[in-house]
Amino acid sequence: MAHALTLLLESPVLVAVVLITGIGGTFQYGFHISVLTSPSVYIKELVNRTCVQRYGHSLEPWELSLIWSFTVSTYSIGGLLGALGAGHLAAVYGRKRCLVFNNLLAICGAVLILLSKTAQSLEMIMAARLLYGINAGVALTVHTMYVLECTPKSLRAMVGVTVAGFVSFGKFSGQVLGISEVMGTDDRWPFLLGFSGFIGFLQLATLPFLPESPRFLLLNRGDRLASEKALRRLLGPGVDVCSEVEEMQAEKAALQSVRNHSVKELLLSASVRWQLLTIIVTFTTLQLCGINAVYLYSTDVFRAAGIPTHNLRYVSLGTGLCEVSTTIACGMVIESTGKRVLLIRGYLGMAASLLVLTITLYLQERVSWMPYCSMVLIFIYIFFFSSGPAGVTAPLPGELFTQSFKSAAFVVACTLNWVGLFFVGMVFPIIVEHLDYFCFLIFFFFCLVSGGFVWYAVPETRNRSVLEISAAFQNMHNKTKPAPEEKHDALPLSHTHTGQATKL
């Protein structure tokens, strides 16, 4: 761990890549998950006031709740659209250029938000949320691709955790800026929601000075000289980059006989069935484990746990700080612990926390100090989430699949992520209304099943390349032989000795 951190700090340009791409990448995704909690009251008042002025109709509570849920979930619709187009845009325009232009969406969304209150327009807020979603959908995919492709194999696991780290930092920043002492007031909430425009401008002004992905330059553009130049800038002038370039060159030669597979072919392929199931289970559980429900509606969750109203905002800040610190710790231990262990421990720990939390919520009216037990359990739950699924899940599509299946795997993973987020945003308020605290049992089920799946169906991936991971899956589930055409896909890569050589 210390050696990897030292190597990273010896490459200041690579550190800049991690920070600049992160702050304008997955930071935006996390920020918009938590930022609506604080100004929700003021936006609902704006919606009701607008309906009275336009139509002379004051909204019923259920009508207002439905409009609000759709406003929240519009972000997920935009995210799905962005994720579906991100792979093609990154392949055509390059990783860096795609991220640069993506910031224009965040800036346009911020302008709409800043004008929405003056214009008394809910439609402008929804349009801004849609643009923010497209921006985050593109950033989630391209940020992950770009930062991992700029990183040498020895640092890839640690740097991969920063993708989730910036999500957590974005959530925490949304909570801090949303308190009433900062921007969480009736006068300043447009500036709070428009903060993403500033972040987008910051990346727009700095990212052009960083190099393009060396892997993209060589494998997609065929420009070896540009790839070597980018590697030297990233790793430092005194570092020998010949071995990295030769590995990519061998991979390029092998990939000339292998075509990229479509999503349909990925879904029907028997050779990667268990890798696909792993992606489906982990990305579905990432949304249906309950973590985003806590951030989207954290005030309601903690009020149900019995926390006094005047302490709610500080408890919410504590949850964000807990996730940030635990995610950082996960990045420090991931090389020595392994991703399989972190996933199993995280899922089963979350399941146990949610089960006991349901019991404490049931007893909170009978025992005076029980609400504080509920609060502690929520923090324990966030600890287990951040120490496993949060940091491990996002890079999985690029680490479990060979090059020919990788693009399709990212499409499947990102689609599941955004559909799950939309489902949580629309359905969770209804679930809470009808099930009360028993809603946590639904999340308990998903966490328990996912922990069992990883335990019995996913091999350890630490210090293994993509091809070694594929072989481990086949050895664990060796019930059918791969089809001839699927063998053909794997054989050329085996001659490179590294393939995609992502060591977990």
Side-chain angles (χ1 to χ4, degrees), residues 51-70:
C51 288
V52 171
Q53 291 178 354
R54 289 183 183 178
Y55 313 111
H57 172 66
S58 180
L59 295 173
E60 298 291 334
W62 70 268
E63 294 175 318
L64 186 59
S65 177
L66 181 62
I67 293 175
W68 175 247
S69 295
F70 183 75

Side-chain angles (χ1 to χ4, degrees), residues 352-405:
S353 301
L354 291 173
L355 181 61
V356 180
L357 176 62
T358 304
I359 297 174
T360 60
L361 291 176
Y362 176 76
L363 296 175
Q364 69 179 5
E365 295 182 358
R366 297 169 174 81
V367 182
S368 60
W369 46 266
M370 196 60 70
Y372 294 95
C373 292
S374 301
M375 181 185 69
V376 172
L377 285 165
I378 289 178
F379 277 96
I380 293 174
Y381 163 82
I382 293 175
F383 168 82
F384 280 113
F385 171 78
S386 305
S387 63
V392 173
T393 304
L396 282 180
E399 297 171 342
L400 296 184
F401 292 88
T402 54
Q403 191 71 20
S404 59
F405 285 106

Side-chain angles (χ1 to χ4, degrees), residues 104-120:
L104 298 176
L105 296 173
I107 295 173
C108 291
V111 172
L112 289 175
I113 284 290
L114 292 174
L115 297 176
S116 62
K117 185 177 181 182
T118 303
Q120 294 285 305

